[in-house]
Amino acid sequence: MKLAERLLLENKAWAAERVDEDPEFFSRLEKIQTPEFLWIGCSDSRVPANQITGTLPGELFVHRNVANLVVNTDVNLLSVLDYAVNHLKVKAVIVCGHYGCGGVKAATTNHDLKLVLNMWLRNIKDVYRLHRQELDNIKVEGERVDRLVELNVIEQLKNLAKTSIIQRAWKEGQRPELHGWVYRLSDGIIKPLLEISHDSELDPLYEYDDL
Ligand code: CO
């Protein structure tokens, strides 16, 4: 059997199970999607958004990339954000990182990972630089990387708040709430780190005053 055929067989079994449990499952989802959440997570295969939050198809709108970055020139992420906020009208956006993130760890080394990864991971080195004093004082390497994982989530969440997409939605509809979380691979538990909402204070440098 070819490698990918296993997935197609599993898919048939999964679809049949859903219909057994709930005959309307697919016909209901086919008509409309009304997720309340946008999930921005790491591409890591061990952090599947729906499974770890116990949510079903239709409940999460999902964007994943290496190390859950919110880069303000990333047309892919911004399209997802725009659609989720302005068309799906999600009530919350979650940035979820995870301890033991390979992308974050790689950014703490000086290895040349060649053009594209060097470019992407540079964003995490910039987070390190912003928090250099705190991070350099953590002598155990694993602990330092885990703290950088947390600080990376916090910075990416702040990057969301800097976008005009979010600021306009706050002004017009007082949503979405922004949540920064970190997932622990060793026990499957998510720890909340930071919440930003329409009444939070923003760095005035990034605040649009004519939206
Ligand atoms: Co990761």
Side-chain angles (χ1 to χ4, degrees), residues 25-35 57-59 87-88:
F25 185 81
F26 290 109
S27 54
R28 206 171 47 240
L29 279 172
E30 191 186 8
K31 290 186 197 94
I32 192 170
Q33 67 157 343
T34 52
E59 292 191 85
H87 295 268
L88 298 173

Side-chain angles (χ1 to χ4, degrees), residues 99 183-190:
Y99 296 118
Y183 175 78
R184 206 161 37 223
L185 293 171
S186 58
D187 63 6
I189 297 296
I190 293 172

